[in-house]
Amino acid sequence: MEKEQLEHRLQFNRRRFLKGLGFGIGGMALGSLLIPDLFSSADKETMPLGLPHFAPKAKRIIYLFQNGAPSQLDLFDYKPLLNKMQGEDLPASIRNGQRLTGMTANQTKFPLAGSFFQFGQYGQARAWVSELMPYTARAVDDLCFVKSMWTEAINHDPALTFMQTGAQQGNRPSMGAWLSYGLGSENQNLPAFCVLLSKGKGNGQGVYSKLWSNGFLDSIHQGVQFSNGENPVLYLSDPEGMDRASRRKMLDELAALNTASYKEFGDPEISTKIQQYEMAYRMQTAVPEITDLSKEPEDIIKLYGPECLVPGTFAANCLLARKLSESGVRFVQLYHQGWDGHSNLPREIKGQCKDADQASAALVQDLKQRGLLDETLVIWGGEFGRTNYCQGLLKPDNYGRDHHPRCFTIWMAGGGIKPGVYGETDDFGYNIVKDPVHVHDFHATVLHLMGLDHEKLTFKHQGRRYRLTDVAGKVVDGLIA
């Protein structure tokens, strides 16, 4: 009897083992079909690429980057004390000897400048929003205002680079490149990382291709820039006289040559070239259709505003970002230039808000009504904040604000973010007094929402394992729903 029971248990275990093995091999095969580079991680000590480390709250990101640093004191961080103390010198106890830029370091006085614009409280969180942002004010119940962002960088180039790549120097992978590397694309006919540029009416700061660079990652992960001309992606169209069949035959022959070169030299960039040629071939069909905004219904045009039909505007790029994200693009990065308010700030910021307010709020609403907001993380903000004192001479009808890295405001929506207000600055809007969020913390939290552990998403380069958050950063649980 005991012998029969033992044989039964052995047969049962063997049956279960073989059944589980079949499912496992089948799952691996299916995974390799759905995610071609699933088992091609450059660093074998990390988890396989193409899969999140844990269940994600968001699938995609749209980052509305406001290049030049919007003034949080004129938009979201209401400080009535500055109006009461208008023109008085910033107390030394508040400044506390903190670093200044070369543009104001030689000022003998730092006259406090209250905002010229009225503020009101909106939504369940009673969030303060300036009159400059009426559309954003209506959407506050879907937004999380992070008022306690901070960075070490005090000038535009290092601060902008830091926000995009996690390092103040260049030649590092951008956030979008890291996500492409870690998660791959949801749509094999479109890149995982797309970049859109627009320029407002204010004083602009440049943007550079290093901001959407792949750095030391394979070049397949670099951002693909869309232009506002007849050809949204340059050099994508076939030369005159070449038909689709000829292009296919040429790519097959070229792939064979590159494959032979790869076998001989083993350079991974050769393999990347093959992938890029194939992606470009598939994009020839996908891109013209997705960039055609003329077929959008009238209610969507009204939602984003008439400028959404003008190629290259912020509104048009917001609408295009929705279409790209809806089609499975993992990371869509918008750069809107013109927020550098060193002088004539009251006049310039009106134009910038007119460009950005309606379309930003429309994007959130559009995603929400399509059932996409819960799985799409929308981010809005710049590289640092603006000072509470005037740069140069304070006038009754004008003021300017210098760079201020010690505190600034961004907002986020959807993708697992908890709506409301997070963090707090002092009554002068100069220092953080509650829940600081460093740039590395911001990056760690964004990766976490996408199902990635920022300490495990690494790439070994020149003997060192690099990551987006360098050797710092913590997930801000208070931001997560």
Side-chain angles (χ1 to χ4, degrees):
M1 185 67 179
E2 291 181 0
K3 182 179 179 181
E4 291 177 357
Q5 289 177 342
L6 177 61
E7 288 178 351
H8 175 74
R9 285 198 297 270
L10 288 173
Q11 291 173 0
F12 180 72
N13 289 340
R14 184 165 59 246
R15 189 181 300 116
R16 288 186 61 186
F17 169 75
L18 292 173
K19 182 179 180 181
L21 181 63
F23 279 130
I25 293 174
M28 291 170 65
L30 178 60
S32 66
L33 288 172
L34 295 175
I35 308 170
D37 58 352
L38 178 60
F39 304 109
S40 62
S41 173
D43 185 350
K44 301 305 179 185
E45 297 181 19
T46 64
M47 294 187 67
L49 300 178
L51 289 175
H53 299 144
F54 43 82
K57 291 180 176 291
K59 295 181 180 179
R60 295 168 291 277
I61 295 174
I62 299 176
Y63 196 163
L64 309 176
F65 195 84
Q66 310 303 311
N67 186 30
S71 169
Q72 76 281 9
L73 297 170
D74 295 282
L75 298 180
F76 307 119
D77 203 7
Y78 178 50
K79 298 300 175 185
L81 181 63
L82 298 181
N83 292 85
K84 292 179 182 178
M85 297 181 64
Q86 180 83 355
E88 295 184 34
D89 204 30
L90 172 66
S93 60
I94 299 299
R95 181 191 157 196
N96 201 25
Q98 291 174 17
R99 181 185 176 198
L100 304 177
T101 74
M103 291 171 283
T104 55
N106 294 322
Q107 287 187 194
T108 57
K109 293 190 180 243
F110 302 95
L112 296 173
S115 178
F116 282 1
F117 306 103
Q118 299 297 313
F119 279 74
Q121 287 182 285
Y122 301 88
Q124 295 181 359
R126 309 307 295 153
W128 290 101
V129 181
S130 165
E131 63 179 312
L132 293 169
M133 292 284 198
Y135 291 92
T136 302
R138 297 173 202 162
V140 291
D141 281 336
D142 292 314
L143 310 182
C144 176
F145 294 93
V146 185
K147 294 189 174 183
S148 51
M149 285 291 302
W150 71 280
T151 178
E152 292 93 354
I154 201 169
N155 287 312
H156 289 287
D157 183 83
L160 179 56
T161 307
F162 194 25
M163 285 296 293
Q164 301 303 299
T165 70
Q168 295 188 43
Q169 303 80 23
N171 301 318
R172 295 286 186 88
S174 62
M175 195 189 315
W178 277 113
L179 285 165
S180 172
Y181 166 71
L183 295 175
S185 177
E186 288 188 303
N187 186 335
Q188 295 303 309
N189 296 326
L190 290 169
F193 178 19
C194 296
V195 179
L196 309 172
L197 308 181
S198 59
K199 190 170 184 180
K201 305 172 181 67
N203 185 23
Q205 283 290 327
V207 291
Y208 333 96
S209 59
K210 71 174 183 178
L211 299 173
W212 51 92
S213 167
N214 56 292
F216 42 69
L217 300 177
D218 291 342
S219 56
I220 194 70
H221 302 300
Q222 70 182 345
V224 174
Q225 181 183 343
F226 282 56
S227 73
N228 57 7
E230 290 184 12
N231 298 311
V233 179
L234 299 179
Y235 313 115
L236 189 64
S237 302
D238 289 330
E240 188 174 346
M242 175 174 279
D243 58 25
R244 191 79 171 160
S246 299
R247 168 63 77 178
R248 181 67 267 169
K249 184 177 179 181
M250 186 208 77
L251 288 177
D252 290 340
E253 295 293 338
L254 188 59
L257 290 172
N258 281 326
T259 299
S261 296
Y262 178 73
K263 289 179 179 178
E264 182 176 357
F265 300 105
D267 184 352
E269 276 299 303
I270 298 176
S271 178
T272 296
K273 280 185 179 180
I274 299 173
Q275 295 179 62
Q276 288 175 324
Y277 283 132
E278 290 299 323
M279 171 62 76
Y281 180 75
R282 296 192 297 270
M283 286 172 64
Q284 286 182 327
T285 301
V287 167
E289 180 180 353
I290 206 166
T291 55
D292 183 5
L293 305 182
S294 64
K295 297 178 183 178
E296 290 294 313
E298 190 63 35
D299 61 315
I300 294 298
I301 303 302
K302 184 177 179 181
L303 181 65
Y304 284 87
E307 282 205 337
C308 74
L309 295 179
V310 181
T313 61
F314 181 76
N317 285 349
C318 281
L319 179 51
L320 179 55
R322 188 267 292 165
K323 294 188 69 176
L324 288 167
S325 182
E326 188 177 30
S327 299
V329 174
R330 185 75 66 182
F331 192 95
V332 185
Q333 175 78 68
L334 279 69
Y335 292 98
H336 185 59
Q337 304 170 68
W339 291 95
D340 198 13
H342 288 281
S343 60
N344 298 318
L345 186 147
R347 177 178 60 83
E348 290 184 359
I349 200 170
K350 286 181 181 178
Q352 285 298 100
C353 289
K354 186 176 180 182
D355 287 338
D357 175 42
Q358 180 176 356
S360 300
L363 175 62
V364 174
Q365 183 179 340
D366 195 7
L367 291 169
K368 187 176 181 179
Q369 66 191 16
R370 292 169 186 272
L372 296 172
L373 185 59
D374 287 344
E375 62 185 37
T376 308
L377 176 63
V378 182
I379 307 169
W380 192 103
E383 62 266 39
F384 43 56
R386 290 282 162 184
T387 56
N388 60 2
Y389 59 82
C390 181
Q391 177 179 331
L393 182 64
L394 176 63
K395 299 178 181 179
D397 61 347
N398 197 15
Y399 55 87
R401 301 189 189 276
D402 199 4
H403 310 163
H404 189 63
R406 297 303 302 169
C407 59
F408 60 105
T409 301
I410 68 170
W411 62 251
M412 296 188 280
I417 283 292
K418 182 189 300 182
V421 177
Y422 187 87
E424 186 179 339
T425 58
D426 62 21
D427 290 340
F428 289 87
Y430 200 88
N431 296 296
I432 296 169
V433 295
K434 182 182 178 183
D435 297 330
V437 180
H438 186 264
V439 172
H440 287 318
D441 303 330
F442 164 70
H443 287 154
T445 305
V446 169
L447 291 180
H448 179 86
L449 291 168
M450 294 292 287
L452 296 171
D453 185 333
H454 72 105
E455 294 183 344
K456 292 181 180 178
L457 184 65
T458 63
F459 187 91
K460 193 171 183 179
H461 174 65
Q462 295 183 341
R464 178 193 163 187
R465 287 180 180 82
Y466 286 85
R467 67 189 206 214
L468 176 62
T469 53
D470 196 37
V471 294
K474 62 182 185 298
V475 175
V476 184
D477 292 326
L479 293 174
I480 300 173

